[in-house]
Amino acid sequence: MVAAVTAALRNALAPRGVLRAAINLSNFLLVSDRSGATPRGVSPSLCAALAARLDVPLQLVEYENPGLLADAAGHDEWDVGLIGAEPARAETIAFTQHYAEIEATYLVPGGSSLRCASDVDFPSSRVVVSKRAAYALWLEANLRNATLQPTAEPGLAASADLFLAAGRFDA
């Protein structure tokens, strides 16, 4: 059974009477369609469901990447945000339990000797990563030997372009 929404909860999540919900547009797993006036996908649907549950209108606040969404925390641009939980971000953002779990792995060139994720962390390994994504933050905290090469701009497309064009990366 779902508990009733109290006025205190409604006021905490939507203090202006509208739910300002921040979404990261760069992850196609969470925002799958940007062709219309309103983005569609898991994140916009979750925000719409929360607004409906709170019985308030929804205002999606769109950010081109998770770094920009995180930067806006504390600037009164949004009331709730859908962004990957990560210890560095938790210094300024209060996270709930996760709303989605995305398994990630590495793309390696054909013929690579790397067969599992643990194979990637060796001293001469070069790994492309999307700048300011939760994946990058995790890799920065957990890889001890590999060298990370962040993209100039955040996003999966930029990561793929750098990895495929350069031909000098291991993952």
Side-chain angles (χ1 to χ4, degrees):
M1 169 146 220
V2 178
V5 173
T6 64
L9 178 60
R10 185 178 294 109
N11 290 336
L13 295 178
R16 290 165 186 75
V18 61
L19 181 66
R20 299 179 307 162
I23 59 172
N24 161 26
L25 298 174
S26 71
N27 190 326
F28 70 90
L29 298 171
L30 301 174
V31 177
S32 54
D33 183 358
R34 295 174 60 181
S35 63
T38 303
R40 295 180 0 182
V42 172
S43 289
S45 295
L46 284 171
C47 294
L50 179 58
R53 183 80 176 99
L54 294 172
D55 195 27
V56 296
L58 172 63
Q59 176 190 347
L60 290 177
V61 183
E62 302 170 13
Y63 293 91
E64 285 299 317
N65 62 67
L68 294 174
L69 191 159
D71 289 347
H75 293 285
D76 197 30
E77 294 179 16
W78 48 268
D79 303 313
V80 299
L82 277 65
I83 186 173
E86 199 283 324
R89 292 176 178 164
E91 293 177 17
T92 56
I93 299 171
F95 288 99
T96 64
Q97 293 295 316
H98 60 271
Y99 63 94
E101 185 172 322
I102 300 172
E103 287 192 35
T105 190
Y106 300 95
L107 173 67
V108 298
S112 173
S113 63
L114 304 177
R115 295 289 177 241
C116 63
S118 61
D119 291 347
V120 173
D121 195 17
F122 62 93
S124 62
S125 179
R126 296 152 304 170
V127 179
V128 172
V129 64
S130 179
K131 178 181 178 180
R132 302 197 66 207
Y135 312 107
L137 297 171
W138 189 91
L139 290 170
E140 289 167 5
N142 289 281
L143 291 184
R144 300 288 176 241
N145 300 298
T147 300
L148 294 179
Q149 175 60 57
T151 56
E153 291 298 321
L156 179 62
S159 296
D161 290 346
L162 180 59
F163 177 77
L164 295 171
R168 56 187 165 92
F169 294 100
D170 299 292

